[in-house]
Amino acid sequence: MTPDQTTWFAETFDTLVANVCRAVLGTEHTVRLAVTAMLAEGHLLLEDAPGTGKTSLAKAIAATVQGSHQRIQFTPDLLPSDVTGVTIYDQGTGKFDFHPGPVFTSVLLADEINRASPKTQSALLEVMEEGQITVDGVTHPVGRPFMVIATQNPIEQAGTYRLPEAQLDRFLMKTSLGYPDRASTVEILAGAKDRTTGLLPKITTKAVGEMADLAMSVHIDPSVLDYVARLTEATREDSQTALGASMRGGLALVRCAKVWAASQGRAFVLPDDVKGLAVPVLAHRLVLDTEAEFAGVTAVHVVERIAAAVRPPAQRVA
């Protein structure tokens, strides 16, 4: 990245975050993570209580990048074809026509994803990994950018299906919006309306692709790559985990760190970028040991402990 490109990226990133924050008040850090996930061409899992602005976040991101937005309410009776689309025979033409499902959009909100059956959840696996849908042997690309923002309710678990590890591993990050602070709450109550209405786009979807390509050109030193490797290996070797972070998790950490560095106006990744993103990128990929779960240990605690214990590189590798 040239200095001009780095400056443009950082300024545009801040503009996107500020615009989304107009609709989702008091959640700037989570919005920065969401925009980072989009520019790293990944997907976001939000585990939060109802009414915290998850739908508003998805709509605001889509409006900000001049993209389309679709919402699927996941329920036990939802079918895979309700997500991907279906092929229907047209008697007039004598041919089968493909009717695209809601996944053909820029930002897809998969609301309460853990309420659908595993079969329906698996309908998202191909499109999240490869950006395409295969129906009746025919492949249909969904376009670029494509981002899934999935939500699940951590409180009410009746009638839910736990997301399998393969599905969780395809989410670039997992975080939560939480409730806004007092000042933001008062401002929201004063408006008492959908704050995404009238939100103007700041860039085009084509520019999002250009930013994603620029971010991948950010330099990351071999010593920092070694740091990422040591972090992910530590999650696998930890006594409190039954399953640690996969290679996909390590790659996700590198991609996110590159975007985060570019958003700070740098053309290189620092160890602090990696350390700061370790929890949202790695924690949801861990499966805890049964004894650790019974003892009240969480995956977030494990990643925080590992990030504090694994020493970052003190100098570059020659």
Side-chain angles (χ1 to χ4, degrees), residues 85-91 93 95-99 135-136:
V86 65
T87 302
I88 299 176
Y89 181 72
D90 188 332
Q91 290 184 331
T93 62
K95 298 180 179 179
F96 286 92
D97 293 332
F98 177 65
H99 292 247
V135 178
D136 294 334

Side-chain angles (χ1 to χ4, degrees), residues 254-308:
V254 169
R255 285 162 54 197
C256 290
K258 287 186 173 186
V259 176
W260 197 264
S263 74
Q264 306 298 313
R266 284 182 279 105
F268 54 90
V269 175
L270 294 176
D272 282 348
D273 298 326
V274 173
K275 188 174 182 179
L277 292 165
V279 169
V281 175
L282 298 181
H284 65 284
R285 304 172 194 271
L286 307 188
V287 177
L288 295 183
D289 179 79
T290 306
E291 291 184 8
E293 275 195 297
F294 279 131
V297 176
T298 66
V300 171
H301 293 150
V302 172
V303 175
E304 286 177 340
R305 175 170 51 75
I306 289 173

Side-chain angles (χ1 to χ4, degrees), residues 7 10 21 67 69 75 78 107 111 139 190 211 231 251:
T7 302
C21 284
H69 160 261
T75 55
L78 192 74
V107 180
D111 210 6
T139 299
M211 290 183 73
L231 280 172
L251 290 168

Side-chain angles (χ1 to χ4, degrees), residues 49-312:
T52 51
K54 300 183 289 292
T55 304
S56 295
L57 175 64
K59 290 172 65 178
I61 290 177
T64 298
V65 300
Q66 206 174 23
S68 55
H69 160 261
Q70 293 281 359
R71 177 180 179 272
I72 305 175
Q73 179 62 56
F74 279 67
T75 55
D77 59 348
L78 192 74
L79 299 175
S81 59
D82 296 329
V83 176
T84 61
V86 65
T87 302
I88 299 176
Y89 181 72
D90 188 332
Q91 290 184 331
T93 62
K95 298 180 179 179
F96 286 92
D97 293 332
F98 177 65
H99 292 247
V103 292
F104 290 85
T105 187
S106 303
V107 180
L108 175 68
L109 177 65
D111 210 6
E112 295 186 302
I113 189 172
N114 55 334
R115 290 202 172 279
S117 67
K119 183 177 181 179
T120 302
Q121 289 177 16
S122 67
L124 286 172
L125 290 178
E126 180 186 9
V127 70
M128 288 175 68
E129 185 71 16
E130 302 174 33
Q132 63 183 30
I133 286 293
T134 302
V135 178
D136 294 334
V138 180
T139 299
H140 307 273
V142 295
R144 188 188 189 201
F146 173 71
M147 180 184 187
V148 174
I149 299 179
T151 72
Q152 60 180 7
N153 186 344
I155 304 301
E156 186 184 347
Q157 295 298 328
T160 62
Y161 300 85
R162 184 172 179 173
L163 293 182
E165 284 69 35
Q167 180 95 8
L168 286 170
D169 205 28
R170 280 168 172 78
F171 284 100
L172 194 73
M173 293 188 195
K174 178 184 176 184
T175 186
S176 63
L177 283 166
Y179 292 106
D181 55 37
R182 180 71 59 82
S184 298
T185 299
V186 171
E187 190 174 346
I188 293 169
L189 294 174
K193 63 179 181 180
D194 184 359
R195 302 182 67 90
T196 61
T197 304
L199 208 61
L200 297 176
K202 294 301 178 182
I203 60 172
T204 63
T205 51
K206 181 181 178 181
V208 173
E210 292 172 356
M211 290 183 73
D213 291 338
L214 270 179
M216 291 306 102
S217 68
V218 169
H219 174 72
I220 182 164
D221 192 77
S223 63
V224 180
L225 291 174
D226 180 71
Y227 179 48
V228 173
R230 287 187 287 118
L231 280 172
T232 53
E233 286 172 5
T235 65
R236 301 171 202 150
E237 297 166 358
D238 194 89
S239 60
Q240 293 184 320
T241 61
L243 181 68
S246 65
M247 277 302 301
R248 186 185 282 121
L251 290 168
L253 194 51
V254 169
R255 285 162 54 197
C256 290
K258 287 186 173 186
V259 176
W260 197 264
S263 74
Q264 306 298 313
R266 284 182 279 105
F268 54 90
V269 175
L270 294 176
D272 282 348
D273 298 326
V274 173
K275 188 174 182 179
L277 292 165
V279 169
V281 175
L282 298 181
H284 65 284
R285 304 172 194 271
L286 307 188
V287 177
L288 295 183
D289 179 79
T290 306
E291 291 184 8
E293 275 195 297
F294 279 131
V297 176
T298 66
V300 171
H301 293 150
V302 172
V303 175
E304 286 177 340
R305 175 170 51 75
I306 289 173
V310 176
R311 178 176 292 184

